[in-house]
């Protein structure tokens, strides 16, 4: 019993040291440095554009997907976050609906649908699609907007991140940034 | 496929390359050999000892060391519990989040104190910035430091001769915190912020979306600082609900690499530290190799299943199972992360394990169930693995009829009792917990999937809590009074029974004389021993869990055929 009472004091004070240094000083100094050196990144990588009437508007975050449904836009991944087994009947049904929706939007397209366009991401807000999924949509977007396919391709390229060091991870096309660019909202 | 191979090789090379110098450095932190950072930190370190009323020479026996660990953790448990239920009236709460329920607060406190980081809550909706940084970030440091401290004590136990003491817990804790965890987290957190991981105390932002001008909420918070220590300390609790799958928690391929490397870095480096500490680097190497073999086999198995065994759908290009995975992480680094996080008792995710193929998910679950010893939690992974090493030595000794010895210490009945506690407490807790959950009425309501995958959700949840992992088959709705309370108790028992057993093992080893090595001594550094060790691990794991696994993922696999 005596030893318990003697140990309580250092136990409490150690936790205090961890709280002050690990919770306070560490968190605050990282926040301070982040706000000074990486203000855009530290605050959610928000995308602000100038609308036609000249007002500034936050239209989203570079890293958070938005839903696009019109054929003139690049379509992203489904925004469901199901946690379902890939073999389950429920997911299979969702997937079929999605395939039909994509086919109705672009009936002339005879290519195989890239898998990421019909499977949900882990976050439900994956901002990227694969380069294959972007190429799959070039013809449709160009036709809908009456512009050259090369122009669409160029815009997609501009917003494609490559693998880190050339091999780590997968290339990704940022759907929101491509669509903002297609609408001429990026400088 | 070539890319995936390159990614895995690159990862292993960087991991091994960095773990060796870090392991040697951590030995200096443990033993008190001088190094640069210590010179800078000395005034602060001395000041802390003065405040605590302790000093480096004041060494503890196993009982005092154990009591210190338990009381330190208990303080943390109480503080984190109180912070959560009262967060509504505390500062740094721009979203005005109310206090949590008592059972959720207990579950979360138990979870973070035990280095599990099981999350029955979702960060952005349930916890204030204050609770996250003052409660959870602190326990991310504290529980990791305690785990490493106990490993240091055990290493001293093997090395010392006829001494009762195994080190001073407060000194170990302070030095690990100041010289290992804080500096590494500091550097890592800044790299993460540069990539787009958020770090602010400002309120959530709203945006008007491009198509349809719908209001979209962008959750923010002091995330990068917490995420870096969550990975380094094998904690794993995400700042946001979907963890490192959420783009603002892990936005780029580089941030993904940094976090993935941090998951295994310290546990791998501790093998080197251990070898150095027992003055026989080969002992550390043998354990490292055994862990690596189990890890590599698992990575190959998971990646193969995700790449080739996903659903085949008419009209869709077959590129593997992308359900629940982010595009930029792909099959390769998602599978690698999933394997590392379940091997290492980390539990953070960058893809949703519940949407893995049946057999891919089976490997992940089994890695947790064999006791979090393939690298494992910081400190806890290696002291768990050392229990298996002693068990292997014991079994081998029985086969040839010789008193088992490890590192020139006789392994005697008391030691084997501690080993049994270390090896058997987690599986017993896991299976009892899962069985109790299965018998609660209305458990189906908590599940997302039906049938065998539904059972897998429960088995995975209790494997995760019963082995201090913290990841989930995330469809399982765990925020229920029964699950919160039982799960919380299981996490505490699964942490502190093995931990205390390791401390008493250390104390008993330190007291012993050493015996001379002879021709008849079983070598614990050759490939035969590595093979035996792996065999024992797999057999114990399979004996404990094969029946349960056949009702879950194995049945799932056959139904999907």
């Amino acid at each position: 019993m005596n030893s318990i009472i003697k140990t309580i004091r250092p136990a409490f004070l150690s936790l205090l040291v961890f709280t002050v240094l690990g919770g306070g000083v560490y968190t605050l100094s990282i926040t301070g440095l982040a706000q000074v050196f990486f203000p855009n990144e530290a605050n959610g990588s928000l995308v602000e554009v100038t609308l036609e009437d000249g007002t500034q508007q936050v239209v989203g975050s570079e890293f958070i997907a938005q839903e696009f449904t019109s054929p003139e836009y690049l379509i992203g991944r489904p925004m469901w976050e199901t946690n379902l087994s890939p073999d389950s009947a429920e997911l299979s049904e969702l997937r079929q609906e999605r395939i039909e929706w994509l086919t109705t939007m672009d009936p002339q397209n005879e290519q195989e649908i890239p898998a990421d366009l019909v499977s949900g991401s882990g976050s439900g807000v994956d901002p990227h699609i694969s380069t294959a999924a972007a190429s799959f949509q070039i013809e449709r977007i160009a036709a809908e907007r009456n512009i050259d396919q090369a122009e669409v391709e160029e815009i997609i390229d501009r917003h494609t991140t490559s693998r880190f060091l050339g091999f780590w991870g997968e290339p990704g096309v940022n759907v929101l940034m491509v669509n903002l660019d297609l609408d001429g909202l990026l400088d | 496929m070539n890319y995936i191979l390159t990614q895995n090789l690159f990862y292993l090379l960087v991991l091994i390359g960095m773990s060796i110098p870090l392991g040697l450095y951590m030995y200096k932190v443990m033993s008190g050999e001088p190094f640069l950072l210590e010179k800078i930190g000395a005034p602060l370190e001395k000041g802390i000892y003065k405040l605590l009323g302790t000093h480096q020479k004041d060494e503890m026996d196993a009982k005092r060391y154990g009591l210190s660990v338990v009381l330190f953790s208990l303080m943390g448990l109480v503080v984190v519990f109180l912070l959560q239920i009262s967060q509504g009236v505390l500062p740094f709460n721009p979203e005005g989040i109310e206090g949590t329920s008592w059972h959720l607060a207990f579950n979360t406190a138990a979870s973070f104190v035990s280095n599990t980081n099981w999350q029955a809550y979702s960060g952005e909706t349930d916890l204030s910035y204050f609770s996250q940084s003052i409660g959870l970030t602190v326990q991310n440091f504290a529980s990791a430091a305690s785990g490493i401290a106990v490993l240091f004590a055990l290493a001293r136990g093997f090395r010392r001769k006829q001494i009762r003491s195994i080190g001073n817990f407060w000194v170990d804790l302070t030095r690990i915190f100041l010289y290992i965890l804080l500096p590494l987290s500091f550097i890592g957190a800044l790299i993460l912020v540069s990539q787009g991981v958020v770090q602010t105390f400002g309120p959530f932002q709203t945006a008007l979306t491009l198509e349809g001008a719908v209001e979209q909420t962008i959750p923010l918070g002091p995330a990068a600082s917490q995420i870096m220590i969550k990975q380094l300390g094998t904690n794993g609790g995400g700042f946001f609900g979907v963890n490192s799958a959420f783009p603002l928690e892990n936005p780029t391929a580089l941030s993904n690499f940094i976090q993935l490397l941090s998951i295994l870095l310290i546990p791998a480096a501790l093998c080197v530290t251990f070898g150095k500490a027992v003055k026989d680097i080969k002992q550390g190497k043998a354990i490292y190799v055994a862990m690596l073999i189990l890890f590599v086999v698992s990575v190959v198995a998971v990646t193969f299943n995700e790449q080739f065994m996903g659903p085949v759908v008419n009209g869709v290009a077959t590129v593997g199972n992308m359900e629940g995975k982010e595009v930029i992480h792909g099959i390769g680094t998602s599978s690698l992360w999933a394997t590392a996080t379940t091997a290492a008792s980390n539990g953070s995710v960058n893809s949703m394990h519940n949407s893995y193929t049946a057999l891919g998910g089976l490997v992940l679950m089994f890695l947790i169930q064999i006791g979090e010893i393939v690298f494992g939690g910081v400190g806890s992974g290696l002291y768990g693995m050392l229990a298996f090493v002693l068990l292997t030595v014991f079994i081998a000794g029985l086969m040839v009829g010789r008193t088992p010895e490890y590192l020139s210490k006789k392994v005697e009945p008391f030691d084997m009792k501690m080993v049994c506690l270390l090896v058997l407490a987690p599986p017993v807790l896991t299976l009892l917990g899962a069985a109790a959950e299965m018998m609660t009425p209305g458990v189906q309501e908590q599940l997302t999937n039906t049938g065998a995958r539904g059972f897998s959700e429960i088995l995975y949840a209790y494997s995760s809590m019963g082995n201090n992992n913290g990841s989930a088959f995330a469809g399982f709705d765990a925020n229920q009074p029964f699950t919160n309370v039982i799960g919380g108790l299981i996490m505490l028992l699964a942490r502190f029974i093995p931990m205390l057993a390791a401390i008493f093992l250390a104390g008993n080893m330190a007291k012993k004389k050493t015996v001379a090595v002879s021709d008849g001594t079983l070598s614990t550094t050759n490939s035969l021993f590595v093979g035996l060790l792996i065999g024992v691990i797999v057999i114990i794991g399979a004996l404990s869990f094969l029946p349960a696994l056949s009702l879950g993922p194995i049945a799932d696999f056959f139904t999907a055929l």
Side-chain angles (χ1 to χ4, degrees):
Chain A
M1 201 55 214
N2 201 10
S3 55
I4 293 183
I5 293 165
K6 263 200 294 192
T7 313
I8 284 183
R9 197 184 107 94
F12 176 77
L13 291 171
S14 289
L15 184 62
L16 190 71
V17 168
F18 270 78
T19 308
V20 170
L21 292 181
V25 175
Y26 165 69
T27 308
L28 290 176
S29 53
I30 297 286
T31 310
L33 290 169
Q35 292 296 332
V36 171
F37 292 105
F38 308 104
N40 178 50
E41 288 83 354
N43 293 307
S45 307
L46 301 180
V47 184
E48 204 174 20
V49 298
T50 315
L51 297 180
E52 279 163 24
D53 57 3
T55 52
Q56 294 282 315
Q57 168 75 57
V58 175
V59 286
S61 159
E62 197 185 325
F63 293 118
I64 304 288
Q66 302 184 358
E67 181 134 59
F68 288 100
T69 53
S70 319
E72 74 265 24
Y73 282 126
L74 188 66
I75 305 290
R77 302 186 68 180
M79 299 195 64
W80 67 60
E81 191 202 329
T82 60
N83 279 306
L84 286 169
S85 155
D87 298 310
S88 66
E90 296 96 319
L91 189 60
S92 174
E93 212 170 290
L94 276 174
R95 208 187 285 129
Q96 279 311 322
E97 274 172 32
R98 177 84 180 175
I99 294 171
E100 275 158 37
W101 179 72
L102 285 169
T103 322
T104 329
M105 182 186 293
D106 191 5
Q108 284 95 354
N109 197 340
E110 306 218 313
Q111 306 166 63
E112 279 193 315
I113 303 174
D116 52 314
L117 282 183
V118 297
S119 44
S121 65
S123 61
V125 289
D126 189 350
H128 298 104
I129 54 174
S130 65
T131 44
S135 309
F136 175 80
Q137 306 183 51
I138 289 177
E139 224 180 295
R140 185 197 73 226
I141 296 169
E144 289 284 338
R145 289 182 178 256
N146 259 327
I147 50 176
D148 273 355
Q149 287 191 27
E151 200 178 324
V152 180
E153 225 174 303
E154 201 187 276
I155 290 177
I156 287 172
D157 277 351
R158 217 177 292 156
H159 303 287
T160 305
T161 45
S162 47
R163 295 181 170 93
F164 171 56
L165 298 177
F167 60 83
W168 180 267
E170 299 294 329
V173 179
N174 191 306
V175 176
L176 174 64
M177 299 309 278
V178 166
N179 287 334
L180 286 169
D181 211 344
L182 283 170
D183 278 2
L185 288 169
L186 295 181
D187 312 322
Chain B
M1 205 58 212
N2 281 336
Y3 280 112
I4 296 181
L5 213 60
T6 320
Q7 287 159 9
N8 289 340
L9 283 176
F10 175 72
Y11 178 75
L12 287 175
L13 280 178
V14 176
L15 176 70
I16 296 168
M18 285 182 69
S19 64
I20 295 170
L22 179 65
L24 296 175
Y25 168 75
M26 288 198 288
Y27 173 69
K28 290 183 178 171
V29 176
M30 168 190 169
S31 64
E33 276 179 28
F35 52 94
L36 181 69
L37 207 56
E38 192 186 35
K39 282 192 191 130
I40 304 166
L44 181 60
E45 189 190 342
K46 297 276 159 359
I48 292 172
Y49 297 154
K50 211 171 160 193
L51 175 74
L52 301 183
T54 188
H55 55 86
Q56 264 164 305
K57 297 275 175 318
D58 177 24
E59 295 228 332
M60 303 172 172
D61 61 8
K63 230 168 130 184
R64 235 181 102 203
Y65 204 99
L67 181 69
S68 305
V69 177
V70 169
L71 281 180
F72 176 65
S73 307
L74 193 67
M75 291 282 169
L77 185 79
V78 173
V79 169
V80 177
F81 177 82
L82 292 177
L83 276 175
Q84 291 175 84
I85 53 173
S86 55
Q87 64 183 359
V89 295
L90 291 171
F92 297 107
N93 186 7
E95 300 306 311
I97 295 168
E98 293 290 308
T100 63
S101 68
W102 66 269
H103 52 85
L104 179 60
F106 168 68
N107 185 278
T108 307
S111 168
F112 278 74
V113 165
S114 63
N115 200 256
T116 310
N117 294 27
W118 170 261
Q119 297 174 291
Y121 66 93
S122 186
E124 58 269 46
T125 50
D126 294 331
L127 290 185
S128 71
Y129 296 166
F130 194 73
S131 300
Q132 295 253 37
S133 48
I134 295 299
L136 302 189
T137 303
V138 171
Q139 283 310 315
N140 275 314
F141 280 111
S143 63
S146 316
I148 300 174
V150 171
L151 177 75
F152 283 3
L154 184 57
R156 287 189 194 107
F158 281 119
R159 183 66 198 152
R160 291 182 173 178
K161 283 175 241 176
Q162 294 170 290
I163 302 178
R164 296 186 65 84
S165 65
I166 51 172
N168 178 320
F169 177 65
W170 310 120
V171 171
D172 285 342
L173 200 63
T174 308
R175 289 174 66 86
I176 292 162
F177 180 46
L178 290 185
Y179 301 133
I180 300 171
L181 298 178
L182 262 183
L184 283 177
S185 304
F186 198 88
I187 299 164
L190 287 178
I191 301 178
L192 290 186
V193 175
S194 77
Q195 294 301 300
V197 179
V198 294
Q199 181 75 23
T200 167
F201 280 92
F204 293 180
Q205 295 287 327
T206 35
L208 280 185
T209 60
L210 183 58
E211 188 188 83
V214 185
E215 269 198 17
Q216 184 190 37
T217 304
I218 295 160
L220 299 173
S225 52
Q226 186 173 327
I227 291 161
M228 200 53 213
I229 183 61
K230 116 189 166 186
Q231 304 297 20
L232 280 168
T234 59
N235 296 283
F239 191 89
F240 300 107
V242 289
N243 214 298
S244 288
F246 192 64
L248 291 177
E249 186 152 338
N250 183 14
T252 66
L254 174 59
S255 71
N256 193 50
F257 179 72
I258 298 286
Q259 292 190 37
L260 186 40
L261 182 66
S262 312
I263 292 177
L264 291 186
L265 184 59
I266 294 181
L270 282 171
C271 295
V272 180
T273 311
F274 179 76
K276 184 88 178 149
V278 298
K279 303 281 184 275
D280 186 355
I281 204 88
K282 279 194 209 142
Q283 302 289 349
K285 194 176 140 197
I287 294 175
Y288 201 147
V289 169
M291 289 177 171
L292 262 183
I293 291 173
L294 285 165
F295 181 71
V296 169
V297 169
S298 309
V299 171
V300 171
V302 174
T303 311
F304 176 85
N305 277 289
E306 294 314 298
Q307 183 72 47
F308 299 112
M309 302 299 279
V312 178
V313 183
N314 218 348
V316 175
T318 310
V319 293
N321 175 26
M322 277 305 286
E323 186 66 34
K325 299 187 180 72
E326 310 298 298
V327 163
I328 56 166
H329 307 325
I331 304 277
T333 65
S334 295
S335 302
L336 181 58
W337 182 306
T339 312
T341 195
T342 47
S345 151
N346 183 294
S348 66
V349 295
N350 74 348
S351 57
M352 292 299 128
H353 294 184
N354 208 354
S355 294
Y356 271 53
T357 57
L359 295 186
L362 170 94
V363 177
L364 303 181
M365 211 185 300
F366 194 62
L367 273 174
I368 297 176
Q369 289 165 342
I370 56 175
E372 295 301 8
I373 49 168
V374 181
F375 297 107
V378 288
S380 59
L382 189 49
Y383 65 66
M385 186 56 134
L386 285 165
F388 274 95
V389 168
L390 289 177
L391 185 61
T392 308
V393 167
F394 180 75
I395 291 171
L398 286 186
M399 284 197 252
V400 294
R402 232 187 105 95
T403 313
E405 292 158 20
Y406 182 59
L407 303 173
S408 304
K409 296 278 176 108
K410 276 191 179 147
V411 180
E412 290 164 313
F414 178 83
D415 309 313
M416 286 316 293
K417 282 179 197 159
M418 295 302 111
V419 166
C420 287
L421 282 176
L422 267 154
V423 169
L424 293 180
V428 168
L429 290 164
T430 301
L431 290 171
L432 285 180
E437 182 77 53
M438 279 304 284
M439 285 190 289
T440 51
V443 69
Q444 297 92 330
E445 308 295 314
Q446 283 172 264
L447 304 178
T448 293
N449 286 280
T450 50
R453 180 69 64 130
F455 173 70
S456 293
E457 288 177 13
I458 294 174
L459 184 62
Y460 194 104
Y462 281 89
S463 301
S464 176
M465 293 190 275
N467 289 281
N468 298 138
N469 181 282
S471 66
F473 268 15
F476 181 58
D477 170 21
N479 188 11
Q480 301 293 334
F482 178 84
T483 313
N484 275 339
V485 173
I486 297 293
L489 290 173
I490 286 178
M491 287 187 275
L492 290 173
L493 292 173
R495 170 76 167 178
F496 291 103
I497 293 175
M499 200 176 217
L500 287 171
I503 294 170
F504 283 104
L505 183 64
N508 201 46
M509 284 292 170
K511 271 187 270 181
K512 290 182 197 201
K513 288 187 283 210
T514 50
V515 289
V517 178
S518 71
D519 285 348
T521 309
L522 174 78
S523 162
T524 50
T525 55
N526 58 15
S527 50
L528 176 69
F529 184 78
V530 171
L532 270 176
L533 176 60
I534 293 175
V536 168
I537 292 166
V538 173
I539 289 168
I540 299 267
L543 283 176
S544 313
F545 288 105
L546 213 52
L549 287 171
S550 32
L551 294 175
I554 296 174
D556 193 11
F557 172 73
F558 284 110
T559 2
L561 280 183

